Amino acid sequence: MSDEECDLLVLGDRLGERFDELRDFCKNEDGPVIEIVSYRCNHEANKIPQRSAYCLNVNFFIQDAVREEFLTLIQNNQKGSTEEEELCLQYHLGENAASSNIFHLHEEYTGKDDGKEGFDAHIVSKHFKAW
């Protein structure tokens, strides 16, 4: 099992049953898939010193019918993460530059266990549970 597969299983264990559907959806019998994506985001530009962090990149493929609801929920989660979570280093969301309703999220957390402490705090937060 590769390091990436191990990390995926650890993430799944932390998120519980909700993750099983995502894991099954993303299976690819041909091996790993590499995707290079450009997206628009809106955040302050600043250089960040090199550091160790627990990082996630998440792609959301949203239906037109739930776009506004998704944006409200994810923006509330972003605000809660950046304003209320001491261990959240970054939480950036952007929409795919080529296709609407595809959103890309980058998160970084710090803390014990190479930053997993911050992620663990994130997934039990009030704003995360609301979504």
Side-chain angles (χ1 to χ4, degrees):
M1 182 177 295
S2 72
D3 289 343
E4 290 82 10
E5 289 171 316
C6 289
D7 287 345
L8 194 61
L9 292 175
V10 169
L11 176 62
D13 288 342
R14 291 171 188 220
L15 293 179
E17 292 179 14
R18 293 174 46 192
F19 186 75
D20 291 342
E21 289 181 35
L22 176 62
R23 186 181 56 213
D24 291 342
F25 178 77
C26 294
K27 283 184 182 175
N28 185 337
E29 295 179 13
D30 296 328
V33 176
I34 297 172
E35 181 179 39
I36 298 173
V37 177
S38 63
Y39 61 96
R40 295 178 292 274
C41 57
N42 185 15
H43 60 84
E44 182 178 322
N46 55 8
K47 293 203 178 223
I48 299 169
Q50 184 174 352
R51 63 183 180 245
S52 178
Y54 187 80
C55 305
L56 288 92
N57 291 308
V58 182
N59 297 321
F60 295 97
F61 302 85
I62 305 302
Q63 298 175 17
D64 282 334
V66 296
R67 177 186 171 91
E68 293 309 313
E69 180 182 5
F70 167 78
L71 287 172
T72 298
L73 290 169
I74 197 76
Q75 288 167 351
N76 287 339
N77 196 30
Q78 180 181 37
K79 182 177 180 182
S81 298
T82 58
E83 293 179 5
E84 299 172 16
E85 294 180 34
E86 184 178 315
L87 300 177
C88 179
L89 299 173
Q90 289 189 43
Y91 191 109
H92 298 299
L93 177 71
E95 186 169 7
N96 190 289
S99 301
S100 62
N101 292 337
I102 299 175
F103 294 88
H104 309 286
L105 174 63
H106 175 75
E107 302 173 61
E108 291 185 16
Y109 299 91
T110 191
K112 295 177 185 168
D113 196 18
D114 293 325
K116 291 177 183 162
E117 176 188 17
F119 179 71
D120 289 341
H122 172 67
I123 62 174
V124 297
S125 67
K126 181 180 174 183
H127 49 270
F128 181 86
K129 288 182 176 185
W131 121 274

